[in-house]
Amino acid sequence: MTRKTRRLWLVIACVACLGTAAALILRAFSSDIVFFVTPSQVEASPPPKDRTVKLGGMVVAGSVTREKHGETPVATFAVTDGQAAVTVHYEGILPDLFREGQSVVAIGTVQPPHEFMATEVLAKHDETYMPKEVAEALKKSGKWDPRFGPPPSAASWNSMTVQDARKNLSAPAAAN
């Protein structure tokens, strides 16, 4: 075997080892990646049952029910992005700041038909905070534009769009 041939085999072996290592690292990370989804995305194309995702939106007013199964508290509530709503089931104690009409992020899996089994629920930490993903989903759905003030209450979502907010903002200016 010539010197060039040995060097070629060494380079091929190094590239194969690096490729194998990269594939193993990517495979390990892929099981830890948690994607953010909105209720309308879940309704349009639900993720696989075994895939852990973050569901974000606003808690629908009047949708929270609390029960006890033995010693375990169980909460059921609906989360919406203004276009669709998904029912969330959670076993455990909800965060102190969990409220109807407030933004929430639930981590868990989607079970047919469009029900979400949460393993963790995260609530906002003050009245001005909204998770970035939830704010982007509301902007994308046309239910909120930050230029026109704080996010609307969940009760007004069915009637309010960004166009309505612009009309309401320009109406007082036109009256002057």
Side-chain angles (χ1 to χ4, degrees), residues 43-163:
E43 203 165 278
S45 60
K49 287 191 323 185
D50 61 338
R51 184 75 170 160
T52 300
V53 295
K54 290 181 181 179
L55 175 72
M58 305 292 270
V59 178
V60 176
S63 69
V64 178
T65 60
R66 298 172 195 246
E67 303 173 355
K68 272 203 169 200
H69 292 166
E71 292 295 314
T72 307
V74 177
T76 302
F77 54 94
V79 174
T80 184
D81 62 355
Q83 294 179 341
V86 173
T87 303
V88 177
H89 301 282
Y90 176 66
E91 288 188 21
I93 299 171
L94 289 168
D96 290 339
L97 297 173
F98 178 88
R99 305 263 188 290
E100 295 177 347
Q102 302 290 338
S103 61
V104 67
V105 174
I107 301 170
T109 57
V110 177
Q111 303 295 320
H114 308 298
E115 292 196 357
F116 194 82
M117 305 306 276
T119 56
E120 187 176 357
V121 175
L122 307 171
K124 64 182 209 138
H125 56 74
D126 71 14
E127 59 277 347
T128 60
Y129 174 76
M130 179 180 293
K132 184 178 92 170
E133 296 92 348
V134 174
E136 287 174 4
L138 287 174
K139 285 186 236 174
K140 189 182 285 186
S141 72
K143 301 295 180 184
W144 176 52
D145 189 333
R147 295 177 295 174
F148 302 112
S153 66
S156 68
W157 283 359
N158 292 334
S159 62
M160 183 179 165
T161 62
V162 171
Q163 289 77 21

